[in-house]
Amino acid sequence: MAAVSFEGVSKRYGEVVALDALDLEVREGEFVSLLGPSGSGKSTTLNLLAGLMDADAGVIRIGGRDVTALPPERRDIAMVFQNYALYPHLTVFENMAFPLEARKPKPAASAIRAKVEQVAGVLGIGMLLARYPKEISGGQQQRVALGRAMVRDPTVFLLDEPLSNLDARLRIRMRRDLKALHHAIGSTIVYVTHDQAEAMTLSSRIAVFDHGRLQQYATPAEIYDRPANVFVANFVGDRETNFLDGSLSAEGEELAFASALGRVPLGRPRGALDARGPLRLGVRPEAVGVLPDPDAPLRVTLAELSGADLFLTIRAADGLEVVARADPRATRVAEGDGVRLAFDPSRLHLFDAGTGVAIAHGT
Ligand SMILES: Nc1ncnc2c1ncn2[C@@H]1O[C@H](COP(=O)(O)OP(=O)(O)OP(=O)(O)O)[C@@H](O)[C@H]1O
Ligand SMILES: [Mg+2]
């Protein structure tokens, strides 16, 4: 039985279609991220699941039960928001105990203490229980907010950008902690983020949204290696994918892609490649090889060292640019140098230039 399912769920605000006929299933114990740019419908999806707003159409189920018309408190979910607002006048213990104190009938004080201590142990905040929120760090406050949700043992956890208030390093650490926590408790988690790296590292599956529409729902590897369309290819990845417009040309058994950058050999990509119309080739920076060639018409216009990687921007005479990710210790090209490009055929993506839908992937 799916832990959560959306069947044809839509939501409008006046003219704005915030969510358009969403079909989505989350399996028991899965960690699913809702990923997309600002305004794509992620929070709307989560709020509909939590019961904080009503759907205009469709059915939402939690644990097989139709909850579409149920109020939030009867849905057996716990939600952690971006602004996790702990009660400042309550200690960590009292903050975490709060949902249990509010329960009717109220559990025994000893049962509440045991539950809070158990959850605090899992979260590694057992030594902070007597402190007030202002006496602990941002990351610790975030854990307390999670703990406050966990003491209720909900069927599903809903987290809306819970790490976005933390600095970059702490976010990466909390990401690991969240993953470990998910392994430890095994609950179903639906997690909203606009950070593709967060979604990639945490999720069993990622649902990518744009303009209120689900673009792709698949594992992180599938999303990365076989993006369903141009939007997904561009949004997922820490650098943008390079896109080239052109058309297919056959070279004996092999196929090639003719574009403003010249001929790109495609090898023999899988998938139906009888597309005759205009095509768009997608290639991630790490699949672009750069070879020094003083006579080539391509020039390196920018070399950015980011530590582990060297990002090279290469420009053709007509202004077309391609970004390559290179190993700084193995690359001997500098700004101004002439270069040739070699695309890894196993990592190319072909899209219909009109619709943006993927036609074939090299891998
Ligand atoms: N209460 C509201 N009234 C009117 N429009 C709304 C309301 N809430 C959201 N919207 C609109 O619905 C669309 C989806 O919003 P939603 O909050 O789901 O986006 P999001 O993906 O969570 O974005 P963000 O990353 O910025 O949080 C947006 O166009 C937004 O402007
Ligand atoms: Mg949001």
Side-chain angles (χ1 to χ4, degrees):
M1 189 200 324
V4 167
S5 71
F6 291 84
E7 294 156 29
V9 175
S10 295
K11 178 71 184 175
R12 307 168 145 268
Y13 300 102
E15 292 293 283
V16 179
V17 180
L19 194 63
D20 191 7
L22 175 66
D23 290 316
L24 187 74
E25 262 192 28
V26 179
R27 290 191 288 263
E28 186 104 36
E30 261 197 292
F31 192 123
V32 164
S33 290
L34 313 182
L35 175 69
S38 188
S40 58
K42 309 179 296 292
S43 293
T44 299
T45 303
L46 209 65
N47 292 335
L48 287 167
L49 181 55
L52 300 176
M53 55 175 68
D54 292 326
D56 298 329
V59 174
I60 300 173
R61 293 179 208 280
I62 297 176
R65 189 168 62 121
D66 184 342
V67 300
T68 318
L70 289 187
E73 64 276 12
R74 296 192 46 210
R75 294 193 179 196
D76 197 19
I77 43 105
M79 189 148 169
V80 178
F81 296 93
Q82 172 179 353
N83 299 310
Y84 38 83
L86 301 174
Y87 302 111
H89 59 288
L90 300 182
T91 63
V92 167
F93 178 91
E94 289 161 346
N95 266 284
M96 286 176 64
F98 195 85
L100 299 178
E101 299 277 353
R103 210 169 248 181
K104 289 186 191 100
K106 189 166 129 181
S110 59
I112 293 178
R113 172 151 293 276
K115 186 69 202 178
V116 170
E117 283 176 353
Q118 181 230 330
V119 169
V122 172
L123 290 168
I125 51 174
M127 63 298 183
L128 305 176
L129 290 175
R131 295 208 207 160
Y132 286 90
K134 66 171 188 304
E135 299 169 340
I136 61 178
S137 73
Q140 291 166 338
Q141 289 181 26
Q142 186 57 61
R143 270 171 241 225
V144 176
L146 274 174
R148 192 169 56 180
M150 284 169 64
V151 295
R152 296 167 45 195
D153 284 327
T155 308
V156 185
F157 284 99
L158 310 183
L159 309 180
D160 194 347
E161 310 241 9
L163 307 187
S164 57
N165 284 344
L166 307 176
D167 70 55
R169 281 283 169 89
L170 187 54
R171 227 160 56 205
I172 291 175
R173 219 166 58 220
M174 284 295 294
R175 209 195 270 169
R176 282 198 209 122
D177 291 354
L178 259 181
K179 188 154 186 158
L181 183 68
H182 180 241
H183 283 307
I185 62 177
S187 308
T188 309
I189 298 181
V190 183
Y191 186 92
V192 164
T193 181
H194 62 263
D195 181 336
Q196 59 85 31
E198 219 167 88
M200 290 290 287
T201 49
L202 282 169
S203 317
S204 49
R205 285 192 287 175
I206 302 175
V208 185
F209 287 81
D210 187 36
H211 288 102
R213 284 188 167 227
L214 181 62
Q215 304 291 314
Q216 187 170 9
Y217 184 39
T219 62
E222 176 91 6
I223 296 253
Y224 197 80
D225 293 331
R226 306 178 66 81
N229 55 40
V230 166
F231 174 82
V232 175
N234 207 29
F235 192 76
V236 178
D238 54 1
R239 286 277 175 139
E240 289 183 2
T241 292
N242 298 293
F243 292 105
L244 297 172
D245 286 323
S247 57
L248 282 183
S249 62
E251 315 231 326
E253 294 279 275
E254 308 261 300
L255 281 170
F257 183 80
S259 79
L261 275 188
R263 184 187 152 275
V264 179
L266 296 179
R268 289 189 217 181
R270 291 200 310 222
L273 273 190
D274 52 355
R276 295 275 178 268
L279 296 177
R280 186 160 293 165
L281 182 75
V283 53
R284 295 192 185 278
E286 58 266 36
V288 178
V290 180
L291 307 160
D293 182 353
D295 303 325
L298 305 178
R299 287 272 171 278
V300 176
T301 53
L302 189 64
E304 300 165 278
L305 181 63
S306 78
D309 298 306
L310 179 65
F311 288 96
L312 299 168
T313 303
I314 294 116
R315 185 191 283 254
D318 64 356
L320 188 73
E321 282 186 344
V322 170
V323 174
R325 182 199 298 252
D327 178 350
R329 281 151 305 176
T331 309
R332 276 183 307 279
V333 297
E335 286 175 10
D337 286 0
V339 292
R340 260 183 305 129
L341 299 181
F343 294 162
D344 177 351
S346 71
R347 292 156 90 184
L348 297 177
H349 311 282
L350 273 181
F351 304 94
D352 180 310
T355 62
V357 173
I359 295 168
H361 303 283
T363 49

